[in-house]
Amino acid sequence: MKVLAASRAALPALLLPFIALPDAAAADEQTLIVTASPQPVSELDTPAAISVVDGDDMRHATPRVNLSESLGAVPGLQVQNRQNYAQDLQLSIRGFGSRSTFGVRGIRLYVDGIPATMPDGQGQTSNIDINSIESVDVLRGPFSALYGNASGGVMNITTETGREPATIEASSYYGSYGSWRYGLKATGAVGDGSHAGDVNYAVSASRFATQGYRDHSSARKNLANAKLGVRIDDVSTLTLLFNSVDIKANDPGGLSWDEWRSDPQQSPRGDQYSTRKDITQTQAGVRYERQLSERDDLNVMMYAGERQTTQYQSIPRGPQLNPASAGGVIDLARYYQGIDTRWTHRGELLVPVSITTGLDYENMSEQRKGYQNFVMNNGVPDYGQTGALRRDERNLMWNLDPYLQSQWQLTDKLTLDAGVRYSSVWFDSNDHYIAPGNGDDSGDASYRKWLPVSSLKYALTDAWNLYASAGRGFETPTINELSYRPDNQSGLNVALQPATNETVEIGSKTRIGNGLLSAALFQTDTDNEIVVASSSGGRTSYKNAGKTRRQGAELSLDQQFAENWRLQAAWTWLDATYRSNVCDDASCNGNRIPGIARNMGYASLGYAPETGWYAGSDIRYMGDIMANDENTAAAPSWTVVGLNTGYKFDFGPWKMDLFGRIDNLFDRRYVGSVIVNEANGRYYEPAPGRNYGVGLSVAYAFM
């Protein structure tokens, strides 16, 4: 099994206490998730439900386009590809984030320490460059509360750090539906990173284009990522980060049940309204690390970025004539920046202890405008055109969160981890569009919460750990969720309150030969769950749902055997239900929360030597998913199978990898994702049938 390594600097703050104790339990040499001075920490020894996916595994015989390709082996993580690049993946952890109609909600995302989640909790995966990923850490459970505004979990992406020798790689992929991707990556270093003046670099750029499985679903995406590290002196380093993405994508929209059954590829409203989205995002960051003493470290992360979005929606002319309507075109400019400063101390207070304290500040400003999505042409609306202004507002959101984390080595076998974060979030809106029937919608809101967490880990043996943890989570409304009131009246949805949850979890991790078996049981009770009130014509409003409960079990196995064979398996059972009525016309108490599968399963078996022929197969299962609160509509369960094979050539400094793959081998018709509580019953976003692809990568190392 490959060693899964990431730099200490790229780690989220949660894991820092786990790398500090010199007397901590021995690290599992086969399942390392970090490499840091003075001690490495292992996935086995981390007292939380965490899974690590290696970047090389994510690129093995895959298109390298979507995270959904390679995260199936992570239990508790539900990744659904909408086949819609205008709306991003539908990603949820333990059911949190399942209601999101676009982007990622309820999960905290980081790329090289820079949040891909805005201060209000809304995130996106569009800027993640799979071609340059070193590893992905997926944290589930109570400890995600230490990141603030994230109820379900945290996904931390670390990109590659350049090393000697300098290497350049060209890669390409060609698949069904006119899909193609090509990319270029260069990595290298001057020196080994231990002397002043040593430099490392990694630069990657790619372009992806597709005609799309569905009608009106074509897209193109340009992506660039760069990382430059400099050793300043014996005790400090500086890392510069840059990322840019440019997307133009048509939006095919959702289908009703009858539409899906008759023709899953159709997009009845896409061509009519010319629905589409353009996105550009550019961000940069700098990370400074300094070893203050043998026992003290300082880490400072600063970043800034901007994101421009223009979206044309499928809203008819009639509803837009309402004076309170915001129109059918969204024109949005966001500017964000932040700084996270933390100090770590390793010492003794009767027992070995590690303490990390820090202060996290983030802010975002957005200029949001709305226009009619039509102009009149001889008395007939011509859709897909920018019409009259219907919305003009400036929104501000910021948070200031101090946090403290600690790890106590109580005995050789017993470890206590504890932490607390005080999360404060402010929101302010200034309405500049005031007209008859559309009053002043300015307003402000603020939310604050103490977020404590703790866990106990007991090492039964060097290869078997048990742990128990508990914590409080906090999820504020996003700007989008505050934008519209459920009663169709003008004004901000200031009645919407944050959701808070209490989670308890017990788990077990066992090393089995050259592999790891993990299991976890958990229960999360939530007050004021934020759910969809209605979703129609591209507009979604939200409300609080009272009480909900999520309880479940996760099981995963990652096992290497017979040198070149690898088996991965994961199973998730998640019972997510309302414990109070959230429906207007009927009791939904006891109903399943929509958007969440009760059962998920994954298994893969692969033969992958360093060179020569390789092959693999995977099977994915998703249980049925309710589409609305009343539980009167659901996407059926499905099982799909994929196959891949290829050949790796090694000619000294040259390396080449040629592969082919088939997905949905048995041509199963199924729903890839659902649009929760879509008011017109257009819940279903179909997944493609049997599809094919071939890929080639060529690398040269300058020896």
Side-chain angles (χ1 to χ4, degrees), residues 666-678:
F666 299 107
D667 201 23
R668 175 70 184 269
R669 176 180 288 193
Y670 68 100
V671 173
S673 65
V674 299
I675 304 172
V676 171
N677 286 336
E678 211 282 336

Side-chain angles (χ1 to χ4, degrees), residues 75-95:
L77 175 64
Q78 181 175 304
V79 186
Q80 296 180 283
N81 190 342
R82 300 177 184 272
Q83 302 300 314
N84 184 346
Y85 290 92
Q87 304 295 350
D88 216 334
L89 299 175
Q90 190 179 68
L91 191 153
S92 65
I93 293 179
R94 294 183 175 177

